[in-house]
Amino acid sequence: MADEDKWKPPMEEDEEDEEEVDEAAYKSTRDAVLFVIEVSRSMLTVPPPVDAKKQQHDTPTSAALKCAYALMQQRIISSPNDMMGVLLYGTEETKFQDEEQARGGLPYPHCYLLTDLQIPDAGNVKALRSLAEDEEESKKLLLPSEERVPMANVLFCANQIFTTQAPNFVSRRLFIVTDDDDPHEKDKALKSSAAVRAKDLYDLGVIIELFPISRPSQEFDRSKFYDDIIYNARPRDPEAPAPVSGNTAPTSISDGISLLTSLLSSINSKAVAKRSLFSSMPFEIGPGFKISVKGYNIFKRQEPQRSCYIWLEGEKPLLVTHISTQIADETARSVDKAEINKAYKFGGEQIPFTLEEITQIRHFGDPGIRIIGFKPQSLLPIWANTRPSILIYPSEEDYVGSTRVFSALQQKLLKDNKMALAWFIPRRNASPTIAAIVPGIEKRDENGAQFIPPGMWICPLPFADDIRQNPETSVIPAPDPLIDRMREVVQQLQLPKAVYDPRKYPNPALQWHYRILQALALDEDIPDKPEDKTIPKYKQIDKRAGPLAIDWGHELHKQFQEWQSGHGSAVEATPNKRPAQDEIAVRGTKKAKTTDVEGAVDDAAMKKAFEKQTVNKMTIPELKAWLQSKHLAVSGKKADLVERVESHLERK
């Protein structure tokens, strides 16, 4: 079996306390995306509008630049350490990297490097925004050249950009946006040269993604040229789930109003590199029968980047480095890590453990997935999914043939509507989990772009210790007429296709946070209010379901009167009732017996509580008053106060 460190995400230190899969380390794999956009007469022609009421003003080139601008804004939010650049080809003007940056100063005629491949800053965003939104600025630069640009030169130029700017990136991708399906129709030598340059990029580890645009009178045909330079296999990226069906469908500009939307949808579907959460993990289907899989965090809550401290006294702002030092409480001397042991409280005593002992306690075997049985999917309740599911996908690294076995298992589970139950240890020192392995199918949007890859999902299930006691409730079943009325209301308020699509609802708090940062960084006007697509459309709701909701209210009143007449006028009280006044008085007298005039518990009462292990039942004011009487610190939470009291009494 391979070394156990291989299951660890890259660039991660040993964390003996870590019991969960590290959801942040997998994002340390940085991504570099270079847009290559064609500038030609057809790409600069506004497509004819289909609807006379909706005029389309974006040319294909302008739409591609707006897509790049939108993606750059998204990257600043979701992946601030990723690189992005924009290269235009077919322009009258030529511009490349600085001479000291370019190797040998190789010329690339009619190739204009709008923004170099780097982490986007305010200058890059401003330059791209001005070109995408300012027509006067775009007319000066977007002048098509009379001379055709060989694709071999474009690909070689991209090769040099990736080599100089992102030499050690694991994920490097080239996005080509064009409407010319055969740039070298009559020149086989140029076709062959372009294929050689594409093979060089493939060997370098660069993935080429094509975003074709069909002309009004001609459908884009990939087989004429691009099938020879774009490889379906992904170089050095076996961990990325590939679509099951086809490539990116050509974006048609016959429907001019949807050009920007459809192109942005296609680019967004491939904008984020799929990075593995764990790699080459053994998946044991039966005794002695194993394959290897990779895991992905497809859904994860996106949060704003944490603020940082900077030093402003120098020539330029510098990040402040934090250094933590542990100090002994009594002597105030620095304590080395080797001098520290961990301890757990048991029965009022601190039980110390060495790191080796803690490792042995936590060790339940090497990371892996082991199937222990199969059950119908109908037995999986919705409440049993306690944590985000993990997508697994086959890997051929350790076991050749894993893909075939994985596919056969997935198809069989889909056919029989079954799920697998498995013993799952995600990483070293992690607690084992019972999980359901549910098969999933590929899902695509209306433009044919994949947004859910095929595979199987690991859904962690709760143990008996994780289930809490149900609250005591008194439920009155709703009568059938009331249910029928509510069914009409629900039917009128269905989401489109009766499905919640999270891609249509950006997090308003997150978008507002970065919109303010963007406005300050780019010297823009600060918006008055955030764009919140989760706000209900009250007028439409009232128009569609208002009368039905009123009818339901009348029916509720009628049914309640009938129920009240049959059960009497007394309504059953809720179990969480307020205590009576005499109970409050009794409780007050009990506290008064153990509390002096100033509010502090006397030593005898505290010692008695310590012996009975009921210190944690005292109130925070009582604990603070007693600690203050002993000249001890009173800061922290209640658990800190209890521990401080117990530590003081243990020393006596």
Side-chain angles (χ1 to χ4, degrees):
M1 183 174 290
D3 185 72
E4 61 181 4
D5 286 343
K6 74 182 302 179
W7 291 293
K8 293 173 58 178
M11 299 177 63
E12 181 185 5
E13 298 178 356
D14 291 333
E15 286 289 343
E16 301 296 341
D17 287 339
E18 186 65 40
E19 292 189 356
E20 301 291 342
V21 176
D22 188 358
E23 296 179 345
Y26 82 105
K27 299 197 76 171
S28 61
T29 304
R30 299 168 67 191
D31 186 33
V33 174
L34 178 63
F35 271 85
V36 174
I37 303 172
E38 182 183 13
V39 178
S40 62
R41 296 191 184 279
S42 59
M43 288 284 287
L44 293 173
T45 302
V46 178
V50 175
D51 190 345
K53 297 180 180 179
K54 298 179 180 180
Q55 296 293 331
Q56 169 70 15
H57 301 289
D58 286 328
T59 65
T61 298
S62 175
L65 288 170
K66 289 183 178 180
C67 288
Y69 173 59
L71 181 60
M72 184 175 288
Q73 289 180 305
Q74 294 173 10
R75 281 303 177 91
I76 292 175
I77 297 176
S78 60
S79 305
N81 294 322
D82 287 354
M83 289 187 176
M84 185 174 165
V86 179
L87 174 66
L88 307 176
Y89 72 96
T91 57
E92 186 68 32
E93 191 175 349
T94 300
K95 176 187 174 185
F96 194 56
Q97 297 169 325
D98 298 334
E99 291 186 2
E100 68 240 3
Q101 214 172 350
R103 293 185 176 178
L106 296 174
Y108 299 101
H110 309 299
C111 290
Y112 190 94
L113 188 59
L114 181 62
T115 60
D116 205 352
L117 188 64
Q118 59 186 359
I119 296 175
D121 56 17
N124 298 133
V125 178
K126 286 181 179 179
L128 194 54
R129 182 188 61 186
S130 62
L131 191 61
E133 299 179 353
D134 190 343
E135 294 185 5
E136 295 298 327
E137 185 73 20
S138 61
K139 286 180 180 179
K140 296 178 183 178
L141 178 60
L142 302 180
L143 296 175
S145 170
E146 298 296 333
E147 183 181 352
R148 298 293 296 268
V149 181
M151 285 303 297
N153 281 10
V154 176
L155 296 176
F156 190 50
C157 177
N159 190 322
Q160 184 168 346
I161 293 173
F162 280 116
T163 304
T164 56
Q165 297 298 105
N168 299 320
F169 277 46
V170 175
S171 176
R172 289 176 287 187
R173 295 177 297 156
L174 185 67
F175 288 0
I176 300 178
V177 185
T178 179
D179 67 345
D180 191 354
D181 56 5
D182 194 4
H184 306 307
E185 182 179 359
K186 300 179 181 179
D187 197 328
K188 293 184 178 180
L190 289 178
K191 276 188 177 183
S192 177
S193 179
V196 171
R197 295 303 181 193
K199 183 64 167 58
D200 292 342
L201 285 169
Y202 179 86
D203 294 338
L204 189 65
V206 177
I207 302 170
I208 302 178
E209 301 279 9
L210 176 66
F211 297 94
I213 298 177
S214 294
R215 297 173 181 174
S217 59
Q218 180 184 356
E219 186 74 15
F220 194 98
D221 187 357
R222 300 171 60 101
S223 63
K224 291 182 179 180
F225 175 75
Y226 283 98
D227 280 349
D228 295 331
I229 70 168
I230 295 179
Y231 297 83
N232 290 328
R234 296 178 174 244
R236 296 197 305 177
D237 190 24
E239 55 186 44
V244 166
S245 56
N247 298 293
T248 302
T251 298
S252 174
I253 61 173
S254 58
D255 184 9
I257 195 66
S258 64
L259 170 63
L260 178 61
T261 304
S262 58
L263 186 60
L264 184 58
S265 173
S266 299
I267 289 176
N268 281 340
S269 67
K270 297 184 179 180
V272 180
K274 298 180 177 69
R275 297 153 177 165
S276 59
L277 190 60
F278 52 77
S279 59
S280 299
M281 177 173 288
F283 184 14
E284 185 177 346
I285 301 175
F289 183 21
K290 296 181 180 179
I291 61 175
S292 55
V293 294
K294 294 176 180 290
Y296 302 87
N297 227 354
I298 301 297
F299 302 101
K300 184 180 184 296
R301 179 178 175 82
Q302 185 69 45
E303 298 178 356
Q305 291 291 317
R306 295 181 61 182
S307 60
C308 55
Y309 294 99
I310 58 174
W311 183 62
L312 298 175
E313 300 299 326
E315 297 181 359
K316 60 179 182 179
L318 298 175
L319 287 175
V320 176
T321 303
H322 297 266
I323 300 177
S324 299
T325 304
Q326 293 179 327
I327 300 176
D329 190 16
E330 297 180 354
T331 62
R333 72 175 182 87
S334 299
V335 180
D336 295 331
K337 189 175 181 179
E339 301 179 66
I340 300 174
N341 280 338
K342 295 189 177 182
Y344 292 94
K345 183 176 291 187
F346 183 81
E349 296 183 6
Q350 300 286 352
I351 312 299
F353 290 89
T354 63
L355 292 179
E356 292 77 11
E357 290 172 337
I358 291 180
T359 301
Q360 292 177 4
I361 292 174
R362 293 182 182 278
H363 185 69
F364 279 86
D366 291 328
I369 309 168
R370 184 174 72 248
I371 291 181
I372 57 179
F374 298 91
K375 292 287 184 181
Q377 290 188 30
S378 58
L379 296 181
L380 181 64
I382 189 172
W383 52 262
N385 201 350
T386 58
R387 292 197 295 270
S389 300
I390 301 171
L391 175 71
I392 56 174
Y393 203 76
S395 169
E396 299 283 332
E397 289 186 18
D398 287 347
Y399 300 96
V400 177
S402 295
T403 304
R404 290 187 176 183
V405 175
F406 184 92
S407 178
L409 178 61
Q410 179 213 22
Q411 296 300 322
K412 180 62 176 174
L413 292 176
L414 283 172
K415 181 180 178 182
D416 296 346
N417 198 24
K418 295 257 181 114
M419 64 178 178
L421 294 178
W423 175 264
F424 176 44
I425 301 179
R427 52 168 294 166
R428 274 196 315 150
N429 301 327
S431 298
T433 302
I434 296 294
I437 300 181
V438 182
I441 60 175
E442 180 189 36
K443 294 184 180 180
R444 292 175 171 266
D445 60 16
E446 58 275 5
N447 297 314
Q450 182 195 81
F451 65 92
I452 297 293
M456 290 192 283
W457 298 84
I458 296 180
C459 307
L461 302 178
F463 287 106
D465 315 80
D466 303 327
I467 301 176
R468 298 291 181 263
Q469 184 66 33
N470 292 334
E472 296 181 5
T473 56
S474 177
V475 178
I476 303 174
D480 291 339
L482 197 61
I483 296 175
D484 294 338
R485 294 278 188 178
M486 180 54 68
R487 182 180 292 109
E488 296 175 356
V489 175
V490 173
Q491 288 174 349
Q492 291 299 318
L493 298 180
Q494 289 275 358
L495 289 170
K497 299 181 181 179
V499 174
Y500 168 69
D501 187 356
R503 297 170 299 166
K504 295 181 179 180
Y505 302 99
N507 184 341
L510 191 69
Q511 297 296 324
W512 179 243
H513 172 82
Y514 281 101
R515 183 67 186 90
I516 296 297
L517 290 182
Q518 176 182 323
L520 295 176
L522 303 182
D523 298 327
E524 298 175 346
D525 294 334
I526 296 180
D528 296 331
K529 60 181 181 178
E531 181 183 4
D532 188 356
K533 294 186 178 180
T534 64
I535 296 177
K537 298 178 181 179
Y538 296 107
K539 291 184 178 180
Q540 295 184 15
I541 292 175
D542 181 63
K543 183 178 179 181
R544 297 178 63 178
L548 295 175
I550 294 174
D551 293 342
W552 180 86
H554 293 323
E555 183 68 27
L556 173 63
H557 182 68
K558 174 184 175 182
Q559 294 295 333
F560 177 73
Q561 286 183 334
E562 293 179 3
W563 177 87
Q564 197 174 30
S565 62
H567 293 77
S569 58
V571 180
E572 184 180 352
T574 57
N576 298 326
K577 61 180 181 179
R578 296 180 60 183
Q581 291 295 327
D582 55 348
E583 293 182 12
I584 297 176
V586 170
R587 292 179 186 176
T589 56
K590 287 183 178 179
K591 288 186 179 180
K593 292 180 181 178
T594 59
T595 308
D596 61 10
V597 179
E598 297 180 356
V601 179
D602 57 29
D603 292 346
M606 185 63 76
K607 187 175 181 181
K608 186 176 180 180
F610 173 70
E611 292 173 352
K612 291 185 177 182
Q613 299 183 8
T614 58
V615 177
N616 57 349
K617 294 184 179 181
M618 292 188 172
T619 63
I620 292 179
E622 290 174 342
L623 294 171
K624 286 187 175 181
W626 189 86
L627 288 170
Q628 195 170 12
S629 68
K630 304 299 178 185
H631 305 288
L632 298 174
V634 294
S635 60
K637 299 180 180 178
K638 182 176 180 179
D640 301 326
L641 302 178
V642 171
E643 185 176 0
R644 208 167 290 143
V645 169
E646 292 177 346
S647 299
H648 180 79
L649 294 176
E650 283 174 357
R651 289 197 292 265
K652 285 194 170 183

